[in-house]
């Protein structure tokens, strides 16, 4: 699974995602925070390459660091997908992770493999091209991450979501939204470069512009 940039730059949110999964008894076999090369993101999302949102999706995954993991356990895929909720934030159950912490539509905090075969292929890809490694330290690294960031108690989700939804609803294409999103996304972003946060804010702004344009077609 991957905690996407909108989850990873918000440390408290990523700690909650991790804790929720570990509390279900899943074991962390590999854990890595990394910036994603474009070629890797393109391969990861190759099944979507003909879709109109493909380039945006690659921009999104490469905008700021992600946390990539291999998780193991009985019914792991089902457990993870149930905990995350439906793909689009507005469709996700409000008690699910995406329902609580997702931003809007496909800006949805995490990706999880949807079947054992997909997991096998994604693990092979991220191992060979992303430097992801199974390690006996992985579980401890994830636990330390949770311990470090669960306390922060900063959660800007509702403000970020409102900024995005209001901009779409009011056809607000102003670049001032990028500044607002950069500030909100940066409030709990220990260790993440300011320029990566701004790149993520720009990608979310591109999503807003796309939604406005689709709405008015
Ligand atoms: P994920 O589970 O990573 O799988 C593919 C991703 O594509 C999905 O989550 C969303 O982030 C994104 N996505 C799917 N459909 C759309 C869409 N219509 N517009 C924008 N992004 C999408």
């Amino acid at each position: 699974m991957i905690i996407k940039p909108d989850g990873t730059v918000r440390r408290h949110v990523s700690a909650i995602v991790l804790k929720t999964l570990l509390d279900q008894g899943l074991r962390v076999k590999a854990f890595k925070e990394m910036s994603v090369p474009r070629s890797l993101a393109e391969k990861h999302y190759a099944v979507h390459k003909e879709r109109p949102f493909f380039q945006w999706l690659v921009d999104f995954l490469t905008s700021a660091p992600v946390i990539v993991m291999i998780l193991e356990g009985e019914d792991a895929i089902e457990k993870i997908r149930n905990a995350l909720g439906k793909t689009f934030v507005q469709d996700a159950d409000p008690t699910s992770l995406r329902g609580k912490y997702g931003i809007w539509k496909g800006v949805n905090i995490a990706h999880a493999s949807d079947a054992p075969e997909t997991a096998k292929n994604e693990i092979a890809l991220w191992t060979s091209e992303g430097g992801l490694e199974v390690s006996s330290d992985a579980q401890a690294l994830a636990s330390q991450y949770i311990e470090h960031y669960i306390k922060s108690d900063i959660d800007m989700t509702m403000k970020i979501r409102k900024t995005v939804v209001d901009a779409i609803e009011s056809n607000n294409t102003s670049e001032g939204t990028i500044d607002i999103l950069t500030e909100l996304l940066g409030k709990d972003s220990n260790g993440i470069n300011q320029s990566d946060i701004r790149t993520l804010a720009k990608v979310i702004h591109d999503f807003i512009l796309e939604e406005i344009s689709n709405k008015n077609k």
Side-chain angles (χ1 to χ4, degrees):
M1 96 165 263
I2 303 168
I3 304 183
K4 294 182 189 178
D6 59 320
T8 301
V9 308
R10 294 183 291 153
R11 297 306 198 175
H12 183 62
V13 169
S14 39
I16 287 174
V17 172
L18 280 172
K19 184 173 185 317
T20 304
L21 300 174
L22 265 58
D23 284 351
Q24 302 204 32
L26 296 170
R27 296 177 296 279
V28 185
K29 308 304 287 182
F31 181 93
K32 187 181 184 195
E33 181 167 314
M34 61 181 284
S35 297
V36 184
R38 223 174 154 84
S39 59
L40 175 52
E42 284 169 352
K43 285 181 191 159
H44 174 78
Y45 279 132
V47 290
H48 297 302
K49 79 170 173 289
E50 306 304 330
R51 309 284 286 274
F53 56 85
F54 177 70
Q55 284 307 329
W56 176 84
L57 193 53
V58 171
D59 289 347
F60 176 37
L61 200 69
T62 57
S63 61
V66 299
I67 294 171
V68 195
M69 287 174 287
I70 301 174
L71 299 172
E72 182 184 77
E74 191 137 341
D75 299 325
I77 291 177
E78 203 185 340
K79 280 184 183 156
I80 297 167
R81 293 180 74 81
N82 285 341
L84 288 178
K86 288 195 176 153
T87 301
F88 283 170
V89 172
Q90 65 269 38
D91 301 334
D93 189 292
T95 62
S96 66
L97 290 166
R98 283 177 175 144
K100 285 200 265 192
Y101 304 106
I103 293 179
W104 202 240
K105 207 171 173 184
V107 188
N108 59 359
I109 62 169
H111 164 87
S113 310
D114 59 5
E117 195 59 28
T118 327
K120 211 189 276 176
N121 294 338
E122 290 179 352
I123 289 169
L125 176 66
W126 287 82
T127 304
S128 65
E129 299 200 17
L132 185 65
E133 267 177 320
V134 172
S135 146
S136 53
D137 294 344
Q139 182 85 23
L141 283 175
S143 300
Q144 282 160 17
Y145 190 98
I146 294 168
E147 200 179 319
H148 197 72
Y149 292 119
I150 205 89
K151 296 178 270 206
S152 95
D153 221 16
I154 301 173
D155 180 14
M156 293 291 133
T157 307
M158 290 308 148
K159 283 193 176 160
I160 297 171
R161 195 182 282 178
K162 187 169 169 12
T163 302
V164 170
V165 173
D166 284 355
I168 296 169
E169 282 180 357
S170 62
N171 295 325
N172 175 4
T173 58
S174 156
E175 299 221 333
T177 304
I178 299 173
D179 297 333
I180 297 168
L181 290 173
T182 303
E183 199 202 320
L184 292 172
L185 289 163
K187 283 206 187 290
D188 177 33
S189 59
N190 195 5
I192 309 279
N193 285 337
Q194 190 61 21
S195 67
D196 288 348
I197 295 168
R198 194 164 178 86
T199 304
L200 170 61
K202 281 190 190 150
V203 171
I204 297 176
H205 187 248
D206 288 342
F207 158 70
I208 293 171
L209 299 182
E210 188 61 25
E211 288 295 295
I212 292 174
S213 141
N214 288 337
K215 196 173 62 154
N216 295 323
K217 260 178 199 160

